[in-house]
Amino acid sequence: SCKRYGASYRAHPPNYIPPKCMGRTELCKQVLNDTWRSYPCWSEDSTFSGTKKTQYEEYINKCDDERFELDVVIETNLTCIKQLEAVQKKMTKLSPEEIARLRLDNKLGGTSEVIGRQAIKRIYGDKHSGIIDGLKKSPQAVIPIVLKRLKSKDEEWCEARRSVQ
């Protein structure tokens, strides 16, 4: 029932009251759209695409997705390394008795419960919960071993990233 502009836009209904907007300049009033609204004509569940991708575009998109995923893996791993190195550095300032009493919480010395767990799960697979328990209960014994493995994987993944660039 509203005026259409192409398949994807409709005019606001006559009784529509736009929200107040303060701070608009004359240029804003000239160029910003206050008349039309986007009106999608397909479902988000639909697999319809406005243009069909060629096999080359599909391959480029797949490569881009894989590179992005590798970047996320590397950054997650680096964050975990930094967290555990910070705990290790803190332990150098503690007495042997304090080190023996030291326990880590679910954040493993960082600010997120998820990042460290994800990095360790990616490397240790099904054994990750045992490694995380070891880090929590006996960080002085487990951190050096986990750090060595995290750094090894960091080198491997960074080399893989360099080889595809």
Side-chain angles (χ1 to χ4, degrees):
S1 65
C2 294
K3 185 176 173 185
R4 296 176 136 203
Y5 185 79
S8 299
Y9 291 94
R10 303 282 188 276
H12 290 293
N15 60 349
Y16 175 75
I17 300 171
K20 295 280 184 207
C21 180
M22 311 225 0
R24 281 201 176 176
T25 65
E26 282 303 313
L27 178 62
C28 292
K29 292 174 186 174
Q30 291 173 5
V31 299
L32 295 177
N33 171 26
D34 288 324
T35 308
W36 301 96
R37 66 172 183 233
S38 175
Y39 189 83
C41 54
W42 65 88
S43 161
E44 286 186 15
D45 298 330
S46 167
T47 58
F48 170 76
S49 174
T51 60
K52 186 166 170 71
K53 293 180 185 171
T54 67
Q55 66 184 14
Y56 306 108
E57 290 170 322
E58 298 253 353
Y59 181 73
I60 288 171
N61 286 334
K62 182 180 175 195
C63 288
D64 190 44
D65 288 346
E66 289 173 357
R67 284 182 177 184
F68 175 77
E69 181 61 29
L70 182 59
D71 287 343
V72 170
V73 166
I74 289 170
E75 288 303 314
T76 302
N77 193 54
L78 272 176
T79 300
C80 188
I81 288 171
K82 289 176 185 174
Q83 286 176 207
L84 295 178
E85 283 177 337
V87 173
Q88 198 173 39
K89 184 176 180 180
K90 177 183 171 185
M91 287 191 299
T92 63
K93 299 175 184 172
L94 299 176
S95 69
E97 296 81 26
E98 291 171 317
I99 292 173
R101 288 192 312 264
L102 180 65
R103 302 290 180 263
L104 297 181
D105 62 7
N106 289 336
K107 296 178 184 177
L108 303 176
T111 57
S112 168
E113 291 185 19
V114 177
I115 293 174
R117 189 176 346 111
Q118 279 182 332
I120 291 168
K121 185 176 183 180
R122 185 171 287 111
I123 291 174
Y124 289 97
D126 294 341
K127 308 283 187 221
H128 78 280
S129 53
I131 301 296
I132 291 172
D133 286 343
L135 283 168
K136 289 178 179 181
K137 294 176 184 173
S138 186
Q140 70 282 4
V142 180
I143 285 178
I145 298 164
V146 172
L147 271 175
K148 183 177 177 183
R149 182 82 170 121
L150 288 169
K151 289 177 180 180
S152 168
K153 292 304 275 185
D154 181 59
E155 289 175 15
E156 179 185 325
W157 290 328
C158 286
E159 179 57 38
R161 180 169 56 187
R162 280 189 294 274
S163 72
V164 296
Q165 288 184 351

